[in-house]
Amino acid sequence: NGQSCNVYALRASIGTADSNKLENGVVRVFRGEKFLVERRIFGVYEKFNSNSGWSAGNGLLPDFFSHWSYVHSGRKLLLCDLQGHKGRPGGPKYGSEEYYYLFTDTAVLSEGQCYGCTDLGPEGMKDWFAHHVCNDMCKKANIEGIRAAPLRYPPALPQLCRGVADIIWPRKPQPRKPRPCRRRSTPASRPLHSRADFKHRFELSRCARALTGLAHTPARNCRRRRERTLQQLV
């Protein structure tokens, strides 16, 4: 309704179980085991967006808040995976406030990827902004153009699934360079079509071998041997 509201995030605490914690006769937490405890959220529990850029579209403020956190931190952090309760008339109040957002179990994307397994790092930021569509609140705050660099691959898959992305979105084939034309030093021989062609070529080959042998013959015997060879060939 255009009314301003505050955004809250619940803080969790880590404890150690002093005994086995049972639920319906089943041990859920063993003695000495570490556990994380958050305050209970009253009202309707909703999920607004995720750390991969998905948005439920059930509120302008959560998506704007994630975008704003990236700009406000100098492009070093991005708060996302927002979920919790959205205050509305007739619902539970947070203190005396009727309109509010109460987030829990949020994810933080960072440059150093140092906030646990849900921190997808710089590639996660790019993937998030590849899905994010700036709403009226982003435009009013003049942060519409401040975004992470686009991904090289189409959005929707993290960095570890690039092999699958190459299958779904194959890269454009690069044109092959033309190979240099290699000319034959001698013309290709004509194929044999008949027995006569084979015999004719055989005779030519024998004549060539005979004349080649005459090149190494002394001059005084060259003429006599050439005549003898030609008589045999004829």
Side-chain angles (χ1 to χ4, degrees):
N1 59 356
Q3 183 177 351
S4 62
C5 64
N6 294 324
V7 175
Y8 299 96
L10 292 180
R11 297 181 60 181
S13 60
I14 300 177
T16 304
D18 55 357
S19 61
N20 294 342
K21 306 299 180 181
L22 305 178
E23 183 182 12
N24 298 327
V26 180
V27 179
R28 300 299 183 182
V29 181
F30 292 91
R31 180 181 179 181
E33 187 177 4
K34 299 289 184 180
F35 59 88
L36 184 70
V37 179
E38 292 183 345
R39 293 176 56 188
R40 181 180 178 183
I41 295 179
F42 297 92
V44 179
Y45 192 90
E46 301 179 72
K47 189 173 180 69
F48 304 102
N49 60 31
S50 69
N51 59 346
S52 63
W54 172 85
S55 175
N58 52 359
L60 300 179
L61 192 142
D63 292 341
F64 161 75
F65 179 71
S66 296
H67 192 167
W68 175 86
S69 66
Y70 175 77
V71 178
H72 185 69
S73 64
R75 306 191 182 197
K76 296 181 180 180
L77 302 174
L78 193 152
L79 276 67
C80 53
D81 198 14
L82 302 180
Q83 51 196 314
H85 176 68
K86 175 183 178 180
R88 52 179 58 89
K93 295 183 180 181
Y94 192 77
S96 60
E97 300 179 31
E98 191 174 36
Y99 294 98
Y100 62 92
Y101 277 90
L102 183 60
F103 297 139
T104 182
D105 194 22
T106 59
V108 181
L109 308 184
S110 64
E111 287 185 343
Q113 203 169 355
C114 54
Y115 289 95
C117 59
T118 57
D119 185 357
L120 304 180
E123 292 296 328
M125 295 183 187
K126 297 176 184 179
D127 194 19
W128 193 91
F129 276 104
H131 290 81
H132 172 65
V133 178
C134 289
N135 53 38
D136 294 338
M137 298 186 70
C138 299
K139 298 175 183 179
K140 189 174 181 180
N142 295 324
I143 62 174
E144 183 180 7
I146 306 177
R147 307 167 66 95
L151 283 172
R152 177 183 175 187
Y153 292 85
L157 292 177
Q159 183 180 6
L160 297 179
C161 297
R162 284 187 172 179
V164 180
D166 288 335
I167 298 176
I168 301 176
W169 296 282
R171 301 180 183 181
K172 295 182 179 180
Q174 299 295 331
R176 294 184 177 181
K177 296 182 180 180
R179 295 182 178 180
C181 180
R182 296 181 180 180
R183 293 186 176 182
R184 293 179 178 268
S185 57
T186 57
S189 59
R190 182 170 59 90
L192 299 176
H193 298 286
S194 63
R195 188 180 182 86
D197 289 342
F198 178 79
K199 184 177 180 181
H200 176 71
R201 188 170 302 177
F202 177 76
E203 294 292 341
L204 292 178
S205 177
R206 193 176 68 166
C207 179
R209 288 198 303 271
L211 293 177
T212 303
L214 294 178
H216 303 283
T217 306
R220 62 179 180 273
N221 297 329
C222 181
R223 182 177 180 182
R224 187 181 305 171
R225 292 191 57 182
R226 184 183 295 113
E227 291 177 354
R228 189 186 309 168
T229 301
L230 291 176
Q231 289 177 1
Q232 294 176 359
L233 294 174
V234 175

